[in-house]
Amino acid sequence: MAVNTSAQSPLPVGEVSRLIGGWIDRLGAVWVEGQITQLSRRPGAGVVFLTLRDPSYDISIAVTCYRQVFDAVADVVSEGARVIVHARPEWYAPRGQLSLRAAEIRPVGVGELLARLEQLKKSLAAEGLFAPERKKPLPFLPQLIGLVCGRASAAERDVLENARHRWPAVRFEVRNVAVQGVHAVPQVTQAVKELDALDEVDVIIVARGGGSVEDLLPFSDEQLVRTVADCRTPVVSAIGHEPDNPLLDHVADLRASTPTDAAKKVVPDVGEELQRVQALRDRARRCVRALVEREERGLAHALARPSMEDPHRMVDERAEQIAALADRSRRTLRHLLDRAESELAHTHARVVALSPAATLRRGYAVLQKADGHVVRSPQEASEGEALRARVAEGEFTVRVEDRAGN
């Protein structure tokens, strides 16, 4: 329950410590699971001191127990082991420290670990973290590879050597971390986050050599799995050997059976790529050659046609037809001209026969007054009037002396 205090009525430190102890006593005995990080068994001492740590959240708590309690599991429990402790919280008032007084310690067996991992696996799979559609494709040729591994480890050497052997120009951004023990989960998680935050990193490899189930347990931690699931950069899991299968393998975008296999899957082999390029060049060359040969055959077939072999043949054949048509046209035109000429001559003869000039040639004359008016009647001429007489060969002037018919 809350305590009413103020600046005017504060509680003494001892009272606060006593109240805290009372509240802690109300918790009662609890079962706690964790990993032993520190173990102190002083010779002759009746109490054993150890530190129990939660690797997922980087939280520790001190645990004490009587020697006989620890001696019951001393043969199978050491630093780094995961245990289940039945303990009661204790508050040491003089120093204001919280600890657990263990009454029983049970080592976590492999069977229990596997069962819990399977349960966690089903839970994460139900959330969709292992779904294939979430997997991101790896770049064909990464320019910078992030590598999370143990310092000077065989996994680091295998990845670097195989990758550089396959593609000498490849570059790495390495993060050396603890890959087992209580510090593995927070360090690996932090390293993955740092590499994912770098824009120039194209892919991240998390690598570790083989080991026991307990050694590989950090790579099945829920916190690490969720961190990898949230990465925007493709992540490759290369943990242990082929039979090893931590949960990181399921959430990663690609699982490699070994660190060496990871290098082969992430980095292309320059020799193989050169062979592939050469093969593509050869294929392209064959395709072009086949195309040219096919067009050459088509051209030869076209040239073998009569019209192409003797191009003037068609012109010569048409020339005879044109000549015949020209002769026919010429004859037709000549006939038309001859007929038109005959008709013109006939018409001309009729015109000549009917023309006044022909009449004049027969001895007739045309009399015209001075104004050119033709005299058709004697009454139209006056005595003494000068008239112009027009005959076939010319004209002359006459004068009227007497008009016959007066």
Side-chain angles (χ1 to χ4, degrees):
M1 296 178 64
V3 178
N4 294 325
T5 61
S6 66
Q8 290 73 28
S9 58
L11 290 178
V13 174
E15 181 63 16
V16 173
S17 180
R18 184 187 66 78
L19 290 174
I20 293 174
W23 293 330
I24 291 175
D25 288 340
R26 295 178 186 178
L27 178 61
V30 293
W31 288 96
V32 182
E33 180 183 357
Q35 190 174 21
I36 298 176
T37 59
Q38 293 180 354
L39 178 60
S40 177
R41 298 176 63 190
R42 298 174 183 174
V47 177
V48 177
F49 298 89
L50 53 93
T51 300
L52 205 60
R53 183 185 183 89
D54 186 341
S56 298
Y57 297 97
D58 197 15
I59 298 176
S60 302
I61 190 171
V63 179
T64 61
C65 65
Y66 292 112
R67 177 173 290 275
Q68 56 268 29
V69 173
F70 186 82
D71 287 344
V73 294
D75 295 336
V76 293
V77 169
S78 60
E79 288 189 3
R82 296 181 70 92
V83 295
I84 298 175
V85 177
H86 188 234
R88 178 182 293 275
E90 286 186 347
W91 178 255
Y92 186 59
R95 294 186 180 177
Q97 293 180 345
L98 175 67
S99 64
L100 297 177
R101 171 70 70 171
E104 183 180 356
I105 300 176
R106 296 182 183 179
V108 178
V110 175
E112 294 178 78
L113 290 176
L114 294 178
R116 293 180 186 179
L117 290 179
E118 187 62 28
Q119 183 179 1
L120 178 59
K121 177 181 177 181
K122 292 180 180 179
S123 175
L124 296 175
E127 295 183 25
L129 298 186
F130 303 157
E133 56 269 18
R134 296 186 74 258
K135 308 295 184 183
K136 294 178 286 294
L138 270 63
F140 167 70
L141 179 58
Q143 299 299 312
L144 182 62
I145 301 174
L147 177 60
V148 180
C149 58
R151 184 180 301 277
S153 61
E156 178 181 7
R157 184 178 62 256
D158 290 346
V159 172
L160 296 181
E161 290 182 357
N162 283 279
R164 287 167 179 163
H165 176 73
R166 294 173 64 84
W167 199 276
V170 69
R171 297 182 298 119
F172 281 90
E173 184 71 23
V174 181
R175 293 290 186 274
N176 294 122
V177 297
V179 292
Q180 70 180 55
V182 295
H183 300 291
V185 173
Q187 291 187 15
V188 174
T189 302
Q190 181 61 29
V192 170
K193 289 181 179 179
E194 290 178 2
L195 293 174
D196 185 53
L198 298 177
D199 294 334
E200 58 270 24
V201 173
D202 298 318
V203 64
I204 300 173
I205 300 177
V206 181
R208 186 201 188 283
S212 62
V213 175
E214 294 87 346
D215 293 338
L216 302 182
L217 198 60
F219 298 96
S220 294
D221 184 83
E222 181 177 359
Q223 181 184 2
L224 177 58
V225 170
R226 293 188 181 278
T227 299
V228 172
D230 293 336
C231 285
R232 61 177 180 81
T233 308
V235 178
V236 177
S237 174
I239 307 301
H241 302 300
E242 183 67 35
D244 299 322
N245 193 19
L247 297 185
L248 182 62
D249 287 350
H250 299 279
V251 74
D253 298 292
L254 178 68
R255 179 200 180 244
S257 58
T258 62
T260 300
D261 184 50
K264 293 180 179 179
K265 289 183 175 179
V266 172
V267 181
D269 184 84
V270 64
E272 294 177 358
E273 296 306 318
L274 289 175
Q275 292 178 0
R276 185 176 291 108
V277 170
Q278 186 61 41
L280 292 174
R281 286 178 175 174
D282 294 341
R283 180 181 176 185
R285 192 177 293 108
R286 290 194 300 271
C287 292
V288 173
R289 186 181 295 112
L291 178 62
V292 172
E293 291 175 354
R294 184 181 65 186
E295 296 302 322
E296 287 179 345
R297 289 193 298 269
L299 182 59
H301 180 70
L303 292 175
R305 294 180 180 179
S307 58
M308 297 297 293
E309 190 174 20
D310 185 8
H312 296 283
R313 179 179 180 181
M314 184 180 296
V315 176
D316 296 340
E317 292 177 354
R318 296 294 186 271
E320 295 177 1
Q321 298 178 6
I322 292 174
L325 292 174
D327 292 341
R328 180 180 175 184
S329 300
R330 193 177 294 109
R331 289 192 303 271
T332 302
L333 181 59
R334 186 180 298 111
H335 175 71
L336 291 175
L337 292 175
D338 291 344
R339 187 175 65 179
E341 184 180 4
S342 176
E343 291 178 355
L344 181 61
H346 180 68
T347 301
H348 182 267
R350 289 176 59 190
V351 170
V352 169
L354 297 175
S355 68
T359 303
L360 295 176
R361 289 191 186 95
R362 290 197 296 270
Y364 293 94
V366 178
L367 296 177
Q368 293 177 312
K369 292 185 175 185
D371 59 0
H373 182 72
V374 177
V375 179
R376 293 181 177 83
S377 172
Q379 287 76 15
E380 295 180 357
S382 302
E383 289 184 9
E385 183 180 2
L387 300 177
R388 189 171 64 251
R390 184 177 181 184
V391 295
E393 299 300 330
E395 60 181 28
F396 55 89
T397 302
V398 297
R399 188 176 298 277
V400 179
E401 293 182 353
D402 185 18
R403 294 183 303 175
N406 284 340

